[in-house]
Amino acid sequence: VAVADKAGSGLGAGLGAGLTLLGAGLGIGLIGFAALGGIARQPEAAGKIQVNMIVLAALVEGAAIISLLVICFALVGKV
């Protein structure tokens, strides 16, 4: 029974990590897509749009890193 529990937790951690990275990649891609569309419409606002894009991308990436840390700690059994 112990081996089955470890295999299940490993599978769950792998799925969780994959979905986390997929979500972060899609989120950052959509942020970049929207920012480029906004810059194309209003080139004079490129500086403000770029700053906001970088802040939002950092927030998405930070959420992804926190989620991966939670998955790693759960896999090790620390949580």
Side-chain angles (χ1 to χ4, degrees):
V1 176
V3 175
D5 289 339
K6 289 181 181 179
S9 65
L11 182 65
L15 274 167
L19 290 175
T20 297
L21 295 177
L22 180 70
L26 285 174
I28 291 174
L30 288 174
I31 290 170
F33 175 74
L36 288 177
I39 290 171
R41 288 188 191 125
Q42 291 184 338
E44 65 274 2
K48 290 182 181 180
I49 293 172
Q50 186 176 13
V51 168
N52 288 330
M53 178 188 71
I54 291 170
V55 169
L56 287 174
L59 289 173
V60 169
E61 194 68 30
I65 290 171
I66 289 171
S67 134
L68 288 175
L69 285 174
V70 168
I71 290 169
C72 289
F73 282 130
L75 187 60
V76 172
K78 299 281 184 185
V79 173

